[in-house]
PDB file of all heavy atoms in Angstrom:
ATOM      1  N   SER N 538       2.828 -14.052  -2.341  1.00  0.00           N
ATOM      2  CA  SER N 538       2.819 -12.647  -1.876  1.00  0.00           C
ATOM      3  C   SER N 538       2.794 -11.638  -3.014  1.00  0.00           C
ATOM      4  O   SER N 538       3.471 -11.927  -4.111  1.00  0.00           O
ATOM      5  CB  SER N 538       4.087 -12.401  -1.027  1.00  0.00           C
ATOM      6  OG  SER N 538       4.270 -10.986  -0.752  1.00  0.00           O
ATOM      7  N   PRO N 539       2.165 -10.519  -2.839  1.00  0.00           N
ATOM      8  CA  PRO N 539       2.381  -9.493  -3.879  1.00  0.00           C
ATOM      9  C   PRO N 539       3.729  -8.733  -3.724  1.00  0.00           C
ATOM     10  O   PRO N 539       4.318  -8.933  -2.667  1.00  0.00           O
ATOM     11  CB  PRO N 539       1.132  -8.545  -3.580  1.00  0.00           C
ATOM     12  CG  PRO N 539       0.879  -8.704  -2.132  1.00  0.00           C
ATOM     13  CD  PRO N 539       1.340 -10.137  -1.838  1.00  0.00           C
ATOM     14  N   GLU N 540       3.948  -7.867  -4.583  1.00  0.00           N
ATOM     15  CA  GLU N 540       5.259  -7.129  -4.523  1.00  0.00           C
ATOM     16  C   GLU N 540       5.246  -6.039  -3.410  1.00  0.00           C
ATOM     17  O   GLU N 540       6.211  -5.935  -2.669  1.00  0.00           O
ATOM     18  CB  GLU N 540       5.434  -6.406  -5.830  1.00  0.00           C
ATOM     19  CG  GLU N 540       6.696  -5.428  -6.007  1.00  0.00           C
ATOM     20  CD  GLU N 540       7.975  -6.263  -6.086  1.00  0.00           C
ATOM     21  OE1 GLU N 540       8.020  -7.498  -6.109  1.00  0.00           O
ATOM     22  OE2 GLU N 540       8.990  -5.668  -6.222  1.00  0.00           O
ATOM     23  N   HIS N 562       1.641  -8.049  -8.348  1.00  0.00           N
ATOM     24  CA  HIS N 562       2.449  -8.989  -8.992  1.00  0.00           C
ATOM     25  C   HIS N 562       3.448  -9.747  -8.138  1.00  0.00           C
ATOM     26  O   HIS N 562       3.762  -9.242  -7.042  1.00  0.00           O
ATOM     27  CB  HIS N 562       3.237  -8.318 -10.163  1.00  0.00           C
ATOM     28  CG  HIS N 562       3.895  -6.983  -9.690  1.00  0.00           C
ATOM     29  ND1 HIS N 562       3.178  -5.889  -9.387  1.00  0.00           N
ATOM     30  CD2 HIS N 562       5.276  -6.765  -9.605  1.00  0.00           C
ATOM     31  CE1 HIS N 562       4.037  -4.886  -8.974  1.00  0.00           C
ATOM     32  NE2 HIS N 562       5.322  -5.473  -9.121  1.00  0.00           N
ATOM     33  N   ASN N 563       3.870 -10.882  -8.530  1.00  0.00           N
ATOM     34  CA  ASN N 563       4.851 -11.694  -7.868  1.00  0.00           C
ATOM     35  C   ASN N 563       5.951 -12.054  -8.952  1.00  0.00           C
ATOM     36  O   ASN N 563       5.615 -12.652  -9.893  1.00  0.00           O
ATOM     37  CB  ASN N 563       4.224 -12.995  -7.262  1.00  0.00           C
ATOM     38  CG  ASN N 563       5.223 -13.731  -6.580  1.00  0.00           C
ATOM     39  OD1 ASN N 563       6.211 -14.300  -7.177  1.00  0.00           O
ATOM     40  ND2 ASN N 563       5.153 -13.987  -5.261  1.00  0.00           N
ATOM     41  N   LEU N 564       7.237 -11.761  -8.526  1.00  0.00           N
ATOM     42  CA  LEU N 564       8.313 -11.879  -9.457  1.00  0.00           C
ATOM     43  C   LEU N 564       9.164 -13.124  -9.150  1.00  0.00           C
ATOM     44  O   LEU N 564      10.244 -13.273  -9.607  1.00  0.00           O
ATOM     45  CB  LEU N 564       9.196 -10.692  -9.555  1.00  0.00           C
ATOM     46  CG  LEU N 564       8.536  -9.293  -9.812  1.00  0.00           C
ATOM     47  CD1 LEU N 564       9.541  -8.207  -9.924  1.00  0.00           C
ATOM     48  CD2 LEU N 564       7.686  -9.350 -11.107  1.00  0.00           C
ATOM     49  N   LEU N 565       8.600 -13.959  -8.394  1.00  0.00           N
ATOM     50  CA  LEU N 565       9.291 -15.194  -7.934  1.00  0.00           C
ATOM     51  C   LEU N 565      10.505 -14.806  -7.038  1.00  0.00           C
ATOM     52  O   LEU N 565      11.500 -15.544  -6.953  1.00  0.00           O
ATOM     53  CB  LEU N 565       9.854 -16.050  -9.127  1.00  0.00           C
ATOM     54  CG  LEU N 565       8.891 -16.336 -10.329  1.00  0.00           C
ATOM     55  CD1 LEU N 565       9.680 -17.014 -11.477  1.00  0.00           C
ATOM     56  CD2 LEU N 565       7.757 -17.305  -9.849  1.00  0.00           C
ATOM     57  N   ARG N 566      10.243 -13.759  -6.180  1.00  0.00           N
ATOM     58  CA  ARG N 566      11.322 -13.320  -5.417  1.00  0.00           C
ATOM     59  C   ARG N 566      11.538 -14.191  -4.216  1.00  0.00           C
ATOM     60  O   ARG N 566      10.697 -14.963  -3.731  1.00  0.00           O
ATOM     61  CB  ARG N 566      10.870 -11.987  -4.814  1.00  0.00           C
ATOM     62  CG  ARG N 566      10.981 -10.824  -5.812  1.00  0.00           C
ATOM     63  CD  ARG N 566      11.006  -9.515  -5.053  1.00  0.00           C
ATOM     64  NE  ARG N 566      10.732  -8.288  -5.951  1.00  0.00           N
ATOM     65  CZ  ARG N 566      11.753  -7.721  -6.548  1.00  0.00           C
ATOM     66  NH1 ARG N 566      13.057  -8.179  -6.475  1.00  0.00           N
ATOM     67  NH2 ARG N 566      11.417  -6.615  -7.430  1.00  0.00           N
ATOM     68  N   PRO N 567      12.869 -14.185  -3.742  1.00  0.00           N
ATOM     69  CA  PRO N 567      13.345 -15.018  -2.690  1.00  0.00           C
ATOM     70  C   PRO N 567      13.316 -14.614  -1.184  1.00  0.00           C
ATOM     71  O   PRO N 567      13.374 -15.422  -0.312  1.00  0.00           O
ATOM     72  CB  PRO N 567      14.871 -15.128  -3.037  1.00  0.00           C
ATOM     73  CG  PRO N 567      15.246 -13.786  -3.508  1.00  0.00           C
ATOM     74  CD  PRO N 567      13.904 -13.181  -4.258  1.00  0.00           C
ATOM     75  N   PHE N 596       4.061 -21.825  -5.815  1.00  0.00           N
ATOM     76  CA  PHE N 596       4.856 -21.537  -7.033  1.00  0.00           C
ATOM     77  C   PHE N 596       4.540 -22.665  -8.157  1.00  0.00           C
ATOM     78  O   PHE N 596       4.213 -22.163  -9.295  1.00  0.00           O
ATOM     79  CB  PHE N 596       6.363 -21.537  -6.749  1.00  0.00           C
ATOM     80  CG  PHE N 596       6.924 -20.279  -6.200  1.00  0.00           C
ATOM     81  CD1 PHE N 596       7.646 -20.214  -5.127  1.00  0.00           C
ATOM     82  CD2 PHE N 596       6.507 -19.025  -6.783  1.00  0.00           C
ATOM     83  CE1 PHE N 596       8.152 -18.953  -4.526  1.00  0.00           C
ATOM     84  CE2 PHE N 596       6.936 -17.825  -6.264  1.00  0.00           C
ATOM     85  CZ  PHE N 596       7.814 -17.786  -5.099  1.00  0.00           C
ATOM     86  N   THR N 608       7.087 -18.615 -14.393  1.00  0.00           N
ATOM     87  CA  THR N 608       6.940 -17.198 -14.883  1.00  0.00           C
ATOM     88  C   THR N 608       6.427 -16.392 -13.676  1.00  0.00           C
ATOM     89  O   THR N 608       5.717 -16.750 -12.772  1.00  0.00           O
ATOM     90  CB  THR N 608       5.837 -17.267 -15.937  1.00  0.00           C
ATOM     91  OG1 THR N 608       5.597 -15.832 -16.414  1.00  0.00           O
ATOM     92  CG2 THR N 608       4.437 -17.853 -15.457  1.00  0.00           C
ATOM     93  N   SER N 609       6.910 -15.105 -13.751  1.00  0.00           N
ATOM     94  CA  SER N 609       6.349 -14.084 -12.859  1.00  0.00           C
ATOM     95  C   SER N 609       4.915 -13.914 -13.289  1.00  0.00           C
ATOM     96  O   SER N 609       4.417 -14.334 -14.352  1.00  0.00           O
ATOM     97  CB  SER N 609       7.066 -12.810 -13.169  1.00  0.00           C
ATOM     98  OG  SER N 609       8.378 -12.854 -13.071  1.00  0.00           O
ATOM     99  N   ILE N 610       4.103 -13.502 -12.233  1.00  0.00           N
ATOM    100  CA  ILE N 610       2.675 -13.352 -12.569  1.00  0.00           C
ATOM    101  C   ILE N 610       2.262 -11.919 -12.170  1.00  0.00           C
ATOM    102  O   ILE N 610       2.886 -11.254 -11.336  1.00  0.00           O
ATOM    103  CB  ILE N 610       1.744 -14.358 -11.767  1.00  0.00           C
ATOM    104  CG1 ILE N 610       2.075 -14.350 -10.302  1.00  0.00           C
ATOM    105  CG2 ILE N 610       2.055 -15.814 -12.413  1.00  0.00           C
ATOM    106  CD1 ILE N 610       1.118 -15.318  -9.462  1.00  0.00           C
ATOM    107  N   ARG N 622       3.344 -13.319 -16.677  1.00  0.00           N
ATOM    108  CA  ARG N 622       4.132 -12.132 -17.290  1.00  0.00           C
ATOM    109  C   ARG N 622       5.107 -12.586 -18.251  1.00  0.00           C
ATOM    110  O   ARG N 622       5.785 -11.824 -18.957  1.00  0.00           O
ATOM    111  CB  ARG N 622       4.917 -11.446 -16.279  1.00  0.00           C
ATOM    112  CG  ARG N 622       4.190 -10.464 -15.428  1.00  0.00           C
ATOM    113  CD  ARG N 622       5.112  -9.586 -14.610  1.00  0.00           C
ATOM    114  NE  ARG N 622       4.420  -8.436 -14.115  1.00  0.00           N
ATOM    115  CZ  ARG N 622       5.006  -7.363 -13.623  1.00  0.00           C
ATOM    116  NH1 ARG N 622       6.349  -7.382 -13.432  1.00  0.00           N
ATOM    117  NH2 ARG N 622       4.348  -6.341 -13.209  1.00  0.00           N
ATOM    118  N   LYS N 624       8.167 -14.225 -17.876  1.00  0.00           N
ATOM    119  CA  LYS N 624       9.494 -13.918 -17.551  1.00  0.00           C
ATOM    120  C   LYS N 624       9.970 -14.756 -16.333  1.00  0.00           C
ATOM    121  O   LYS N 624       9.243 -14.749 -15.263  1.00  0.00           O
ATOM    122  CB  LYS N 624       9.776 -12.462 -17.280  1.00  0.00           C
ATOM    123  CG  LYS N 624      11.213 -12.118 -16.993  1.00  0.00           C
ATOM    124  CD  LYS N 624      11.510 -10.690 -17.375  1.00  0.00           C
ATOM    125  CE  LYS N 624      12.831 -10.167 -16.932  1.00  0.00           C
ATOM    126  NZ  LYS N 624      13.133  -8.864 -17.239  1.00  0.00           N
ATOM    127  N   MET N 625      11.057 -15.473 -16.410  1.00  0.00           N
ATOM    128  CA  MET N 625      11.599 -16.110 -15.195  1.00  0.00           C
ATOM    129  C   MET N 625      12.936 -15.362 -14.875  1.00  0.00           C
ATOM    130  O   MET N 625      13.963 -15.408 -15.550  1.00  0.00           O
ATOM    131  CB  MET N 625      12.002 -17.642 -15.620  1.00  0.00           C
ATOM    132  CG  MET N 625      12.452 -18.400 -14.393  1.00  0.00           C
ATOM    133  SD  MET N 625      12.629 -20.134 -14.778  1.00  0.00           S
ATOM    134  CE  MET N 625      14.252 -20.103 -15.744  1.00  0.00           C
ATOM    135  N   GLU N 626      12.865 -14.756 -13.744  1.00  0.00           N
ATOM    136  CA  GLU N 626      14.028 -13.875 -13.235  1.00  0.00           C
ATOM    137  C   GLU N 626      15.112 -14.855 -12.975  1.00  0.00           C
ATOM    138  O   GLU N 626      14.919 -15.974 -12.423  1.00  0.00           O
ATOM    139  CB  GLU N 626      13.691 -13.033 -12.038  1.00  0.00           C
ATOM    140  CG  GLU N 626      12.451 -12.130 -12.338  1.00  0.00           C
ATOM    141  CD  GLU N 626      12.942 -10.760 -12.934  1.00  0.00           C
ATOM    142  OE1 GLU N 626      14.068 -10.558 -13.076  1.00  0.00           O
ATOM    143  OE2 GLU N 626      11.967 -10.027 -13.357  1.00  0.00           O
ATOM    144  N   PHE N 628      17.091 -14.675 -10.501  1.00  0.00           N
ATOM    145  CA  PHE N 628      17.199 -14.935  -9.029  1.00  0.00           C
ATOM    146  C   PHE N 628      16.314 -16.155  -8.665  1.00  0.00           C
ATOM    147  O   PHE N 628      16.365 -16.561  -7.476  1.00  0.00           O
ATOM    148  CB  PHE N 628      16.921 -13.691  -8.215  1.00  0.00           C
ATOM    149  CG  PHE N 628      15.796 -12.834  -8.532  1.00  0.00           C
ATOM    150  CD1 PHE N 628      14.478 -13.350  -8.208  1.00  0.00           C
ATOM    151  CD2 PHE N 628      15.970 -11.630  -9.044  1.00  0.00           C
ATOM    152  CE1 PHE N 628      13.394 -12.590  -8.532  1.00  0.00           C
ATOM    153  CE2 PHE N 628      14.787 -10.785  -9.238  1.00  0.00           C
ATOM    154  CZ  PHE N 628      13.519 -11.210  -9.082  1.00  0.00           C
ATOM    155  N   PHE N 629      15.348 -16.579  -9.406  1.00  0.00           N
ATOM    156  CA  PHE N 629      14.464 -17.626  -9.071  1.00  0.00           C
ATOM    157  C   PHE N 629      15.346 -18.858  -8.940  1.00  0.00           C
ATOM    158  O   PHE N 629      15.270 -19.737  -7.974  1.00  0.00           O
ATOM    159  CB  PHE N 629      13.371 -17.872 -10.103  1.00  0.00           C
ATOM    160  CG  PHE N 629      12.432 -19.084  -9.721  1.00  0.00           C
ATOM    161  CD1 PHE N 629      11.773 -18.950  -8.564  1.00  0.00           C
ATOM    162  CD2 PHE N 629      12.361 -20.182 -10.510  1.00  0.00           C
ATOM    163  CE1 PHE N 629      10.884 -19.984  -8.168  1.00  0.00           C
ATOM    164  CE2 PHE N 629      11.495 -21.246 -10.174  1.00  0.00           C
ATOM    165  CZ  PHE N 629      10.768 -21.143  -9.019  1.00  0.00           C
ATOM    166  N   THR N 633      15.739 -18.181  -4.987  1.00  0.00           N
ATOM    167  CA  THR N 633      14.590 -18.732  -4.394  1.00  0.00           C
ATOM    168  C   THR N 633      14.693 -20.359  -4.357  1.00  0.00           C
ATOM    169  O   THR N 633      14.482 -20.835  -3.159  1.00  0.00           O
ATOM    170  CB  THR N 633      13.367 -18.425  -5.261  1.00  0.00           C
ATOM    171  OG1 THR N 633      13.403 -16.982  -5.559  1.00  0.00           O
ATOM    172  CG2 THR N 633      12.048 -18.707  -4.652  1.00  0.00           C
TER     173      THR N 633
END
Side-chain angles (χ1 to χ4, degrees):
S538 172
E540 179 74 357
H562 47 292
N563 179 296
L564 305 184
L565 312 171
R566 284 197 192 276
F596 277 132
T608 179
S609 304
I610 55 174
R622 277 193 164 191
K624 182 153 170 179
M625 184 173 77
E626 302 279 350
F628 51 69
F629 183 62
T633 310

